[in-house]
Amino acid sequence: MKRYCLSLVILLAVYSSNLFAQQHMDVQILGNAESINKENNVLVIKTKEAEARVWMYSPTIIRVSISKEHSIDTSFAVVQQPQGDLQYKENDKDVELTTSALKLVINKSPLRFNFYTADGKALSQDDPRFGTNWQGTRVINYRKLYKDERFIGLGEKTGNLDRRGSSYVNWNTDAPNHGPTTDPLYETFPFFVGMHSGLTYGLFFDNTHKSYFDFGASTDEQTSWYGADAGDMNYYFFGAQSVAQIIEDYTWLTGRMEMPPLWSLGYQQCRWSYTSAAEVLSIAERLRKDKIPADVMYCDIDYMDHYKIFTWNKTTFPDPKGMIDKLKSMNFHLVTIVDPGIKVEDGYKQHDEGVANNYFATYPDGEKYIGSVWPGRCYFPNFTDKAVRDWWGASFTALTEPGVEGFWNDMNEPAAWGQNIPWMVKFGKFYMPEIRNVYGMQMAEGTYLGTKKILGNKRPFVLTRAAYSGTQRYSAVWTGDNSAYDAHMLLGQRMVNSLGITGMSLVGVDIGGFTGNPTPELMVRWNSLGVYTPMFRNHAAKGTKYREPWRWGKANEAIIRKDIEQRYKLLPYIYSSFYQSHLTGLPVSRTLAINYTQEDSIYSEHFQNQFMFGDAIMVAPVESTKLIEDVYLPKGEWYRLTTGEKFKGGKIIKAAAPLTDLPVFVKAGGIIPMQNLVQSTKEKGDGILKINIWNGTKANSYVYYEDDGSSYDYQQGNFYKRTISFDPKKSEITLGAVEGAFASKYNKIELVLHGFNAGVKTIKVNGKASGFAFANERNEIKVQY
Ligand code: GLC
């Protein structure tokens, strides 16, 4: 009896301590290495708690994954495989893995991962006490925080450029009315760049669960930490010693964008909603009549029949093809919105097909999940399944047949009224919490690959609101429902710049602010900034005042027109900048932290919104209420674009900022190919490519790129590309020989030299005296000035 009682007591004690452990989610810290082996080029280290695996992806990229299960090892983001032979040395204390650029020192007891440059400079280390640990299913990694450490990245996040002292959550969320501190928003990019002691590194936490990042916000500045509700401590460490190279590596790993259709880089006019075909056409006609250059018209949700995806409202849009033909005759392209929710309605094609094939999300017992969105009660396609994506993609014929070429994927966080899709809802084999952050990306993938197939060799334009790392392979993004006030304009610019760090180059904001009504000054100012926003779209919410350029009075319309004209003149430069994104992953809008990483002033709240637009242009966003603004010019020399005034950098200047002239500067030595004014990207123009060069003391070069702007033939070598070099020491400008088979749409090249004083008079082309303009010769051309 006594023994029985004792065992009962022990049993109860064990039970209650388990209960206690569960209730309190005790912390379990990764302990000592018990075995270390190399298996198929993977370093496998076992501890009591878990198993760590280490792979080499390139000399600058090492992956570590610490897991209790390692049951699934797939990634939505990563498109590369490990490469090279993994080399390591082992002694009693640690394991050392070395590449030509990096050294990973793995401390055995306890198991901790510490990264150094190949020559031994400390980049980033596990916190020696806590390293990787678990609380319940939550997995967390604590890292040493350096005194001077800064952090940039995480894509679409509010807050400052330097994220030190801030914390964030990734949980894709429909966030209408968000403000400058709201978190989370619509997208998840769990990738950041850390900088300290003059060094740089990057870290991509490839875990799709709800995740958390704390850059020393809540730790008394002791550690930074990140983690997720479940899944593996699966991260890629980047050790390149420049932010640009880290971005190049990150986009090598997660893929790069294809060339966008040229028309998508023109001015885009949108509204929720132009409610009839007649209205869409009248807006397009007015843009042409008022000579506001433009390329794109949008149809928001009201073009549909009761918001049913892949339908048209027969009363208000009775002849979609007729409308689109008319738009095309005016050189417009049409983008239509698609939302994931499929209306529950027997007899509706998408509904019936989805039901018949079990394509929709379900409760665990198989019952289809219903949430309410615009159409009312809806089913939600399981976009994680390729068959569903293929089906979804093929359904776009309803839009492509009448002539739609752009597809705007909205509400794909996914949004459902109440914003609380139950955790038990299943998308195929995945429960909602593990799939939510990639749902939008998977929808965009289905849309892009599907429409690409339907359109044959024509490039579709895809825009998505929700995203995860890797979305750049399929789609552009915009920053969702912003608001019509100055701080939101500045926030939007920071988000565009931050998205650039995480691989998204084709990014836009709703110019003018989606919610609310901008003042005329804000509208004008925001439009000026739009010229230098990779995707230039004017959009507004239902119930707001109309926003088109002519709604602001003649004088303001003239400024808006002048700015949009500037966008069109810059298109050869903008398109070449997108070619850079396609090739290297470097974004078009670049936070100054990419090129001027070590200059403290660029991180200050006052200057953090400034950015490079391509290689040569620097833009200083200014609130609409300020007509003069302090601008920080990074080291080097700069010219004000509009006045030609020259400045020495490395200091703050007071820049005049009238509404007619946003402070925009060109770097000395800057090379900017431009064209004459056209009203759309379809127009041929005068056939002259104007290569603008601003004088400087340092040699510079720029790759000019052109192709047909609409097909995939460039992937077969049908492009026109030449390197333009400027060498002030030799007083020489060289247009390198043309690469690629494409015949340029320009038949003349003109050199426009800025700040060269009288030098232009003695210009010589290939040794012979010449004027400015000369035939578009494909061989190398040397110009002496
Ligand atoms: C969402 C989108 C917005 C769109 C509206 C109606 O709020 O973010 O851009 O206009 O839905 O479709």
Side-chain angles (χ1 to χ4, degrees):
M1 181 65 183
K2 215 168 151 190
R3 255 177 55 198
Y4 174 75
C5 274
L6 191 68
S7 40
L8 195 72
V9 167
I10 290 171
L11 248 172
L12 269 175
V14 169
Y15 174 73
S16 60
S17 79
N18 273 344
L19 202 69
F20 183 83
Q22 264 177 22
Q23 277 173 351
H24 289 270
M25 287 216 297
D26 275 351
V27 180
Q28 188 183 30
I29 299 177
L30 188 67
N32 301 345
E34 292 185 340
S35 72
I36 299 171
N37 292 298
K38 186 169 148 181
E39 296 168 14
N40 299 323
N41 217 18
V42 184
L43 190 65
V44 180
I45 309 175
K46 292 196 164 107
T47 72
K48 234 186 223 79
E49 306 75 24
E51 186 180 289
R53 295 186 189 172
V54 183
W55 297 258
M56 181 170 88
Y57 275 67
S58 83
T60 48
I61 309 173
I62 289 175
R63 175 183 173 202
V64 176
S65 180
I66 304 166
S67 174
K68 296 193 174 207
E69 290 163 354
H70 277 302
S71 52
I72 320 170
D73 191 20
T74 51
S75 171
F76 292 94
V78 171
V79 293
Q80 297 292 346
Q81 295 296 323
Q83 293 183 2
D85 189 28
L86 191 110
Q87 303 281 352
Y88 73 99
K89 288 191 304 224
E90 194 186 336
N91 61 33
D92 290 352
K93 239 180 94 237
D94 48 43
V95 175
E96 207 177 287
L97 197 145
T98 322
T99 74
S100 54
L102 268 179
K103 196 175 348 176
L104 166 59
V105 180
I106 305 170
N107 189 75
K108 288 188 190 172
S109 305
L111 193 60
R112 299 288 179 265
F113 296 81
N114 303 319
F115 292 89
Y116 301 82
T117 58
D119 59 359
K121 294 189 193 101
L123 288 174
S124 181
Q125 290 118 342
D126 274 345
D127 179 276
R129 300 159 298 170
F130 309 131
T132 290
N133 56 74
W134 293 264
Q135 273 178 287
T137 63
R138 283 204 172 120
V139 61
I140 306 124
N141 179 239
Y142 286 81
R143 306 191 79 78
K144 174 177 170 160
L145 183 64
Y146 286 83
K147 262 211 160 48
D148 65 338
E149 197 162 14
R150 297 185 200 278
F151 301 88
I152 57 171
L154 294 193
E156 185 195 64
K157 288 291 178 197
T158 54
N160 291 327
L161 164 64
D162 180 1
R163 306 213 177 275
R164 173 79 182 241
S166 303
S167 67
Y168 294 94
V169 175
N170 289 312
W171 184 243
N172 289 3
T173 301
D174 178 11
N177 301 314
H178 64 269
T181 55
T182 306
D183 187 64
L185 297 179
Y186 310 86
E187 302 170 359
T188 292
F189 293 92
F191 169 65
F192 68 85
V193 175
M195 301 169 282
H196 66 86
S197 328
L199 302 165
T200 56
Y201 70 89
L203 195 147
F204 171 41
F205 178 39
D206 190 12
N207 181 318
T208 63
H209 290 264
K210 188 174 195 174
S211 58
Y212 309 82
F213 285 78
D214 186 303
F215 298 109
S218 324
T219 56
D220 192 27
E221 303 253 309
Q222 284 192 49
T223 55
S224 65
W225 65 268
Y226 63 92
D229 276 355
D232 300 340
M233 180 41 65
N234 174 34
Y235 66 90
Y236 295 79
F237 188 88
F238 300 85
Q241 284 313 301
S242 80
V243 178
Q245 187 58 47
I246 291 171
I247 295 173
E248 194 166 335
D249 283 355
Y250 167 78
T251 53
W252 171 80
L253 188 75
T254 59
R256 303 205 172 107
M257 67 182 294
E258 297 194 289
M259 284 305 291
L262 178 60
W263 60 262
S264 68
L265 307 181
Y267 176 71
Q268 310 189 351
Q269 187 63 57
C270 188
R271 177 173 183 81
W272 173 26
S273 294
Y274 297 126
T275 51
S276 67
E279 191 176 24
V280 172
L281 288 170
S282 76
I283 300 286
E285 277 157 13
R286 180 74 189 260
L287 285 162
R288 290 288 175 255
K289 183 170 150 277
D290 281 18
K291 293 223 167 315
I292 313 272
D295 267 77
V296 190
M297 287 298 304
Y298 275 73
C299 283
D300 203 326
I301 47 176
D302 294 290
Y303 77 91
M304 292 180 259
D305 170 24
H306 292 90
Y307 305 130
K308 284 184 283 184
I309 310 308
F310 306 123
T311 67
W312 294 85
N313 182 317
K314 291 203 169 58
T315 317
T316 47
F317 290 82
D319 176 17
K321 179 158 184 328
M323 174 187 74
I324 298 170
D325 284 348
K326 281 193 191 130
L327 285 173
K328 283 187 179 163
S329 73
M330 290 187 276
N331 292 340
F332 277 99
H333 296 258
L334 184 69
V335 178
T336 52
I337 198 167
V338 287
D339 293 345
I342 303 274
K343 188 173 172 61
V344 179
E345 183 183 283
D346 284 333
Y348 161 40
K349 186 169 180 277
Q350 268 64 38
H351 168 272
D352 293 353
E353 288 177 5
V355 169
N357 293 298
N358 276 326
Y359 283 164
F360 299 134
T362 63
Y363 285 101
D365 62 0
E367 181 191 332
K368 278 180 280 305
Y369 166 71
I370 295 177
S372 284
V373 210
W374 303 119
R377 298 170 72 242
C378 284
Y379 294 141
F380 292 83
N382 167 24
F383 290 117
T384 64
D385 180 348
K386 184 172 180 303
V388 179
R389 290 198 300 275
D390 287 349
W391 163 73
W392 171 262
S395 309
F396 278 88
T397 47
L399 300 172
T400 55
E401 271 163 15
V404 181
E405 289 161 312
F407 312 94
W408 171 19
N409 292 220
D410 191 23
M411 308 294 276
N412 51 0
E413 293 69 32
W417 303 153
Q419 310 294 357
N420 229 353
I421 297 178
W423 290 359
M424 64 164 69
V425 170
K426 290 194 86 176
F427 295 79
K429 58 180 187 252
F430 301 105
Y431 285 99
M432 199 276 298
E434 49 193 322
I435 212 60
R436 185 175 182 90
N437 287 340
V438 290
Y439 188 79
M441 174 205 198
Q442 293 296 284
M443 178 185 177
E445 176 176 347
T447 304
Y448 181 64
L449 298 181
T451 55
K452 189 175 171 182
K453 202 159 163 190
I454 299 172
L455 292 176
N457 195 23
K458 213 190 263 176
R459 300 174 206 168
F461 167 67
V462 176
L463 177 62
T464 178
R465 192 171 72 175
Y468 182 74
S469 291
T471 300
Q472 67 271 13
R473 306 196 295 266
Y474 313 115
S475 182
V477 295
W478 94 106
T479 59
D481 297 347
N482 60 357
S483 293
Y485 56 92
D486 279 291
H488 233 292
M489 175 178 72
L490 300 183
L491 167 69
Q493 190 57 53
R494 277 201 303 290
M495 294 208 280
V496 169
N497 300 345
S498 178
L499 280 159
I501 299 167
T502 52
M504 297 302 310
S505 188
L506 189 46
V507 183
V509 303
D510 291 349
I511 304 285
F514 178 74
T515 308
N517 295 307
T519 61
E521 292 76 20
L522 179 59
M523 188 64 228
V524 168
R525 184 65 105 204
W526 210 326
N527 184 70
S528 306
L529 194 54
V531 174
Y532 303 97
T533 302
M535 189 190 100
F536 187 8
R537 184 177 77 149
N538 173 317
H539 180 44
K542 194 158 249 174
T544 60
K545 291 189 189 146
Y546 276 78
R547 273 300 155 73
E548 298 73 20
W550 54 89
R551 314 273 186 190
W552 307 95
K554 278 266 166 276
N556 287 328
E557 184 184 1
I559 308 174
I560 292 172
R561 180 190 298 106
K562 168 189 75 64
D563 283 340
I564 300 178
E565 287 177 354
Q566 170 74 351
R567 169 80 175 199
Y568 277 77
K569 291 179 189 165
L570 279 170
L571 277 174
Y573 171 74
I574 295 173
Y575 198 63
S576 300
S577 303
F578 273 103
Y579 178 66
Q580 267 186 334
S581 300
H582 162 66
L583 220 59
T584 68
L586 207 59
V588 172
S589 279
R590 303 173 193 162
T591 159
L592 295 184
I594 295 179
N595 292 109
Y596 303 98
T597 315
Q598 307 302 345
E599 293 188 40
D600 283 346
S601 304
I602 67 147
Y603 301 98
S604 85
E605 281 191 31
H606 199 90
F607 306 119
Q608 62 176 348
N609 307 311
Q610 291 180 210
F611 62 101
M612 295 299 294
F613 187 66
D615 283 355
I617 293 176
M618 188 190 69
V619 181
V622 178
E623 285 155 295
S624 62
T625 49
K626 291 189 180 163
L627 301 178
I628 182 156
E629 180 59 298
D630 284 348
V631 172
Y632 176 72
L633 296 175
K635 289 185 185 135
E637 288 179 327
W638 299 87
Y639 295 85
R640 178 100 183 215
L641 178 66
T642 44
T643 63
E645 193 184 345
K646 195 172 170 186
F647 301 91
K648 244 200 144 24
K651 62 173 190 220
I652 299 160
I653 60 158
K654 285 231 173 295
L659 285 176
T660 48
D661 190 11
L662 184 73
V664 175
F665 300 84
V666 181
K667 205 160 85 175
I671 301 171
I672 305 184
M674 293 174 75
Q675 64 181 8
N676 81 321
L677 179 61
V678 285
Q679 294 300 312
S680 80
T681 57
K682 198 80 181 283
E683 269 184 26
K684 241 190 144 320
D686 66 0
I688 303 175
L689 180 69
K690 297 182 166 81
I691 296 178
N692 290 263
I693 302 181
W694 279 261
N695 204 359
T697 49
K698 283 198 196 126
N700 190 21
S701 70
Y702 185 74
V703 176
Y704 171 71
Y705 177 85
E706 195 186 331
D707 60 26
D708 63 20
S710 63
S711 80
Y712 289 90
D713 292 354
Y714 70 96
Q715 293 177 350
Q716 264 65 55
N718 200 26
F719 54 77
Y720 172 105
K721 168 169 145 179
R722 76 193 314 168
T723 303
I724 304 161
S725 329
F726 162 60
D727 186 344
K729 297 229 161 57
K730 291 193 195 152
S731 296
E732 191 172 83
I733 292 158
T734 308
L735 312 185
V738 173
E739 290 169 53
F742 186 71
S744 171
K745 71 176 169 205
Y746 305 100
N747 45 41
K748 280 185 174 171
I749 297 176
E750 184 176 308
L751 283 184
V752 187
L753 305 183
H754 304 259
F756 285 76
N757 301 325
V760 290
K761 286 201 187 111
T762 56
I763 220 161
K764 278 188 175 175
V765 177
N766 288 341
K768 295 187 196 117
S770 165
F772 282 96
F774 35 89
N776 193 357
E777 165 69 65
R778 291 178 80 89
N779 294 326
E780 182 183 87
I781 301 170
K782 279 203 183 301
V783 179
Q784 237 83 40
Y785 58 88

